[in-house]
Amino acid sequence: MNTVSAGKGKYEVFVDYKQVGNDLVIIIRGGKEHIGSITACFDNERSINNIVRKGHKDDVVSKQAAIDLRNRYGLNTVVLCGIHIDNADDSEISMLVNNSLTAIERIKLWKRNKF
């Protein structure tokens, strides 16, 4: 697996990624790492499967990442996401979401040169 990241300190988010044939596996992690959601996007945006752990909101990131990467590369995409910071306020959550999407974008920039 390859890894990219965005953010600094406790707000740093890591994205591990690997192409498996015509499929793409993504792990988004940060803070207290865990599995909070799993999103799979097959064939097109209308075929999205989301599994969310009770009380978690990681699917906000995993769903957006799965759709973006599926649309960009045409690969079936599965995203596991788990980012947690204790007592995070709205601005910290926003920063973590933005860092996640920035890291996903870095995969896209690298991918343009051949995956």
Side-chain angles (χ1 to χ4, degrees), residues 21-58:
N22 290 323
D23 303 318
L24 184 60
V25 177
I26 304 289
I27 300 171
I28 302 171
R29 56 191 176 83
K32 292 183 180 177
E33 299 173 0
H34 63 288
I35 298 175
S37 67
I38 302 167
T39 303
C41 190
F42 300 113
D43 304 320
N44 59 48
E45 267 184 54
R46 288 176 282 232
S47 182
I48 298 171
N49 297 297
N50 224 15
I51 301 170
V52 183
R53 192 169 170 184
K54 185 177 182 179
H56 290 254
K57 297 179 183 176
D58 302 274

Side-chain angles (χ1 to χ4, degrees), residues 60-72:
V60 170
V61 171
S62 64
K63 186 175 179 182
Q64 185 65 51
I67 291 169
D68 287 353
L69 291 166
R70 172 67 181 114
N71 288 341
R72 176 79 177 151

